[in-house]
Amino acid sequence: MTALSIRDLHKRYGPTRVLAGAGLEVADGTTTAILGPSGCGKTTLLRLVAGFDRPDTGTIALAGREVTAGRRGLAPDKRNIGYVAQEGALFPHLTVHANIAYGLSRRTTTAPARRARVAELLELVSLEQALARRYPHELSGGQQQRVALARALARRPALVLLDEPFSSLDTALRAVTRAAVAAALRAAGVTTLLVTHDQAEALALADQIAIMARGTFAQTGPAREVYAHPADLGTARLLGPGSTLPGTVIAGKAACALGALPLAQPRPDGDAHIFIRPDQVRLAATGTPATVAAAEFLGADTVLTLRLADSSTVDARVDGTVTQAIGTSVTVEITGAVHAYPRHHGLTSFSNHDLPGIH
Ligand code: ADP
Ligand code: MG
């Protein structure tokens, strides 16, 4: 069954067109990640689903029931939605217990019932019971995020909305918190809509990924499917690093400075941007000659920027123990199939570093 159905949402703030025909279906009990660069309208979309704001036109239905139709809609507290805002936003003057119990009605629940529910929720998000008496400032950032999730789940919502829940956490804490949150969401069996500009977060957590660009969804599908077959160059870049080389599609191959490479998906003949992920580029005994132009040591791996004969460059992710001085001559081979996207006349090519959220 469809837990959430978003149809043709349009939203402007004054002259700024934020949503322009956004549509999305989320199946019951699944997690969908909306992935898009900063400012593309992700928070706006979540706020419309939660009912905090209204679209200019378009509809939103929860479990088949229309809750928003243009400017008309059901109040947020009538939607049975849990919301974790981008800034976490726990009440600083309330304990963890009081924060989590905040949404549990004092009229319909007893104090022991609320205590039991808070204990259950702390366990669900993998936090120690002793933390219930602390205040938000006595918790780490990751613990605060888990409390915010526990609070959002307290009333057993039909749908949980998470707005970049891990963006304020450092790398190590982010991985631990992400795993705890994923486990809690799975255990709760709750339908989840997560927005993020972090591709690793989207790929790790989501059953379905929806790529947001220019106020609409450029591509929606299972995480593996979207990663394997990005519909356009912007989507390919949003899903992870890669190099773009000028080339041509001829007879089912991508011809570029690295040779005639197999294509990940069939493409018509013509000028194209050839997109290659760094882990597809290998140093080999034979292959295309290149020169090491730059090396970035990342610990487990090193990313080498290699200059090719036509002076275009391609990044290679190699073992971190590989040391190659700048200027060294190497030969490279490409493993697997590459992506090609039509290069239209008049379309200026863009650099590999001009999209936010790409590292
Ligand atoms: P994201 O969450 O993807 O970073 P947002 O949905 O927050 O993006 O914002 C999308 C665009 O809408 C931005 O250009 C932002 O400045 C604008 N915007 C968001 N909310 C408002 C508002 N209340 N008033 C005016 N402009 C807004
Ligand atoms: Mg946002």
Side-chain angles (χ1 to χ4, degrees):
M1 197 172 97
T2 305
L4 170 66
S5 178
I6 296 172
R7 298 262 163 87
D8 201 24
L9 289 186
H10 289 257
K11 177 72 179 171
R12 279 175 177 277
Y13 289 113
T16 314
R17 197 176 67 156
V18 182
L19 299 178
L24 183 68
E25 304 280 316
V26 177
D28 219 6
T30 64
T31 295
T32 291
I34 296 178
L35 180 63
S38 286
C40 75
K42 301 183 298 296
T43 297
T44 301
L45 186 89
L46 280 199
R47 289 176 50 79
L48 297 183
V49 173
F52 299 141
D53 202 352
R54 299 271 184 265
D56 301 325
T57 59
T59 62
I60 299 169
L62 296 170
R65 176 189 182 207
E66 198 163 275
V67 293
T68 291
R71 308 295 309 168
R72 290 175 298 110
L74 201 62
D77 59 328
K78 302 279 192 305
R79 296 189 179 206
N80 196 19
I81 286 178
Y83 188 83
V84 178
Q86 198 158 356
E87 305 79 25
L90 295 175
F91 302 114
H93 60 292
L94 296 182
T95 62
V96 166
H97 173 94
N99 263 285
I100 296 175
Y102 185 79
L104 301 174
S105 164
R106 286 171 176 275
R107 269 180 292 125
T108 56
T109 61
T110 62
R114 285 196 297 278
R115 265 200 303 280
R117 180 70 182 137
V118 169
E120 191 177 78
L121 287 158
L122 283 172
E123 185 167 346
L124 185 69
V125 298
S126 309
L127 288 176
E128 289 165 40
Q129 298 297 329
L131 294 184
R133 288 187 296 276
R134 291 209 198 158
Y135 286 85
H137 74 270
E138 297 171 321
L139 303 177
S140 73
Q143 289 170 330
Q144 288 181 23
Q145 285 307 106
R146 291 190 235 179
V147 173
L149 177 65
R151 183 175 66 181
L153 292 172
R155 292 168 64 176
R156 303 183 196 282
L159 175 68
V160 170
L161 309 177
L162 303 174
D163 195 350
E164 310 220 19
F166 316 111
S167 58
S168 63
L169 308 179
D170 60 50
T171 313
L173 197 54
R174 196 180 304 176
V176 176
T177 310
R178 193 163 72 198
V181 166
L185 292 170
R186 253 197 318 276
V190 63
T191 310
T192 305
L193 188 58
L194 162 92
V195 310
T196 179
H197 67 268
D198 181 331
Q199 44 91 13
E201 200 166 296
L203 293 171
L205 287 173
D207 303 301
Q208 169 175 257
I209 288 194
I211 304 291
M212 197 171 201
R214 292 173 294 280
T216 183
F217 289 105
Q219 188 175 7
T220 304
R224 284 175 189 282
E225 168 61 27
V226 174
Y227 185 78
H229 301 291
D232 54 47
L233 189 55
T235 301
R237 287 176 160 170
L238 208 51
L239 288 165
S243 306
T244 307
L245 297 181
T248 315
V249 173
I250 308 168
K253 295 270 187 188
C256 64
L258 288 160
L261 306 171
L263 283 167
Q265 45 202 334
R267 294 291 183 203
D269 287 2
D271 290 347
H273 295 289
I274 313 298
F275 184 79
I276 304 171
R277 301 236 179 251
D279 40 278
Q280 292 187 274
V281 184
R282 272 219 302 249
L283 302 183
T286 59
T288 307
T291 311
V292 177
E296 188 182 17
F297 176 57
L298 299 171
D301 342 284
T302 291
V303 173
L304 299 177
T305 300
L306 305 171
R307 193 169 302 287
L308 304 171
D310 68 351
S311 89
S312 61
T313 60
V314 66
D315 283 355
R317 186 183 297 279
V318 299
D319 196 286
T321 58
V322 172
T323 52
Q324 294 281 2
I326 309 294
T328 307
S329 294
V330 295
T331 50
V332 296
E333 64 176 23
I334 304 301
T335 59
V338 300
H339 299 288
Y341 300 102
R343 186 152 41 109
H344 303 293
H345 292 290
L347 182 77
T348 50
S349 64
F350 46 104
S351 89
N352 286 323
H353 302 287
D354 64 355
L355 276 174
I358 308 272
H359 310 289

